[in-house]
């Protein structure tokens, strides 16, 4: 069972509500998704400690910077007088310094991810015609959250996708977790967390475990469909697959949306 995804997905369920209408990103269905390289600006600041770079981060990526500092790293408020010192001091840790270098090297090119996300969200837009298409950006965290969903955007923490054999993971994650921390998991993880944020289970607190499993099973199944690979094969995906196969005319969008009404 993919515990990391399930636990984090349910956390997102608690913070979001159904969204069948569009937002500022509506009608970008035909557009190519290109991951914004916020991580490069972040790495530059960590390396040079130039205050002007932090100002650039706040100017060009205000939401992303606030989310990173306040929600991911939890260093304080983005406009605290000494936040730049706290930010730099945090990343002076030798392990994090290496993670920054390794992440920038491994993800110097993201063409494959841009193409994969574009294809996945084009297929999603066919299933959910009114679903907004997200802005996607990359960042470097501190081995905390893998995917961040906020204000219609998706943040990818590259430090959580450095490969199952990445040596620095051994002291922090077990083998089951490390197997999921690969480049190939970025696209399906993005799809899962975005679907969870847009289509949470109604009355989650009072729902039975069976209903919760069924709902996340639908999300896993749809993710498998749009990425073209059975990434998620948890026990509660099988009954969803069997039901859909027995009802070939079913609308996957309506099938998931019924859990939110």
């Amino acid at each position: 069972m993919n515990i990391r995804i399930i636990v984090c997905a349910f956390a997102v369920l608690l913070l979001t509500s159904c969204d069948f209408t569009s937002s500022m990103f509506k009608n970008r269905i035909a557009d190519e998704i290109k991951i914004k390289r916020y991580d490069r600006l972040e790495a530059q600041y960590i390396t040079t400690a130039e205050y002007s770079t932090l100002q650039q981060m706040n100017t060009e990526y205000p939401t992303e910077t606030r989310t990173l500092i306040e929600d991911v790293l939890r260093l304080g408020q983005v406009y605290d007088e000494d936040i730049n010192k706290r930010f730099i001091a945090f990343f002076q840790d030798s392990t994090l310094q290496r993670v920054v270098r390794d992440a920038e090297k491994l993800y110097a090119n993201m063409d494959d991810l841009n193409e994969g996300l574009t294809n996945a969200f084009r297929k999603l837009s066919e299933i959910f015609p009114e679903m907004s298409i997200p802005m996607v950006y990359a960042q470097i965290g501190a081995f905390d959250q893998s995917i961040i969903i906020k204000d219609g955007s998706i943040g990818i923490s590259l430090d959580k996708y450095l490969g199952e054999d990445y040596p620095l993971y051994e002291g922090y994650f077990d083998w089951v977790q490390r197997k999921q921390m690969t480049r190939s998991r970025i696209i399906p993880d993005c799809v899962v967390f975005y679907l969870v944020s847009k289509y949470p289970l109604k009355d989650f607190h009072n729902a039975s475990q069976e209903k919760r499993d069924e709902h996340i099973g639908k999300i896993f199944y749809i993710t498998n469909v749009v990425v073209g690979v059975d990434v998620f094969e948890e026990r509660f995906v099988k009954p969803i697959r069997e039901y859909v196969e027995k009802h070939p005319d079913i609308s996957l969008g309506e099938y998931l949306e019924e859990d939110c009404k």
Side-chain angles (χ1 to χ4, degrees), residues 41-257:
L41 195 57
E42 180 188 354
Q44 179 182 339
Y45 177 57
I46 292 169
T47 303
T48 64
E50 293 179 351
Y51 184 66
S52 60
T53 305
L54 180 60
Q55 289 180 311
Q56 185 178 357
M57 291 167 63
N58 281 321
T59 301
E60 297 182 12
Y61 297 95
T63 300
E64 293 79 3
T65 299
R66 178 183 293 274
T67 300
L68 176 65
I69 290 176
E70 297 181 0
D71 301 332
V72 178
L73 303 180
R74 294 183 288 275
L75 297 177
Q77 301 300 306
V78 70
Y79 292 115
D80 288 348
E81 291 184 3
D82 63 341
I83 195 63
N84 59 318
K85 294 180 181 178
R86 274 183 264 166
F87 191 104
I88 290 298
F90 182 84
F91 276 99
Q92 291 310 299
D93 177 84
S94 59
T95 296
L96 291 179
Q97 285 281 325
R98 179 175 172 183
V99 167
V100 171
R101 294 193 300 269
D102 292 343
E104 292 305 287
K105 182 178 180 180
L106 183 61
Y107 289 96
N109 186 294
M110 287 189 171
D111 290 347
D112 59 320
L113 297 176
N114 290 330
E115 181 179 0
L117 284 169
T118 298
N119 292 335
F121 275 91
R122 281 177 177 168
K123 291 177 182 177
L124 270 185
S125 68
E126 295 174 1
I127 298 173
F128 304 98
E130 297 300 318
M131 188 185 72
S132 56
I133 305 302
M135 182 275 283
V136 186
Y137 68 96
Q139 66 171 21
I140 300 171
F143 290 170
D144 190 8
Q145 303 176 52
S146 302
I147 302 295
I148 297 91
I149 306 293
K150 190 167 186 178
D151 298 334
S153 66
I154 299 176
I156 304 167
S157 294
L158 300 181
D159 51 291
K160 293 294 293 292
Y161 295 99
L162 298 177
E164 60 189 60
D165 296 321
Y166 186 60
L168 296 184
Y169 283 163
E170 293 184 9
Y172 299 90
F173 308 101
D174 61 34
W175 176 241
V176 174
Q177 293 173 308
R178 296 200 301 271
K179 286 176 65 178
Q180 302 168 18
M181 300 169 71
T182 63
R183 190 184 190 104
S184 64
R185 286 299 297 263
I186 289 179
I187 295 172
D189 281 0
C190 285
V191 173
V192 164
F193 282 104
Y194 198 65
L195 284 178
V196 167
S197 73
K198 293 296 181 181
Y199 303 98
L201 178 64
K202 181 181 179 181
D203 198 18
F204 172 80
H205 289 288
N206 297 318
S208 66
Q209 188 59 52
E210 181 181 5
K211 186 61 180 178
R212 295 180 184 184
D213 289 348
E214 179 185 22
H215 183 69
I216 200 66
K218 291 180 182 180
I219 289 176
F220 283 170
Y221 176 78
I222 293 173
T223 298
N224 288 343
V225 170
V226 300
V227 301
V229 180
D230 286 341
V231 179
F232 302 103
E233 300 182 282
E234 282 68 17
R235 58 176 175 77
F236 35 80
V237 176
K238 182 179 179 181
I240 303 300
R241 182 186 299 110
E242 292 175 345
Y243 181 85
V244 172
E245 290 175 350
K246 290 179 180 179
H247 301 81
D249 295 328
I250 192 173
S251 164
L252 291 180
E254 294 178 359
Y255 187 39
L256 180 61
E257 288 172 1

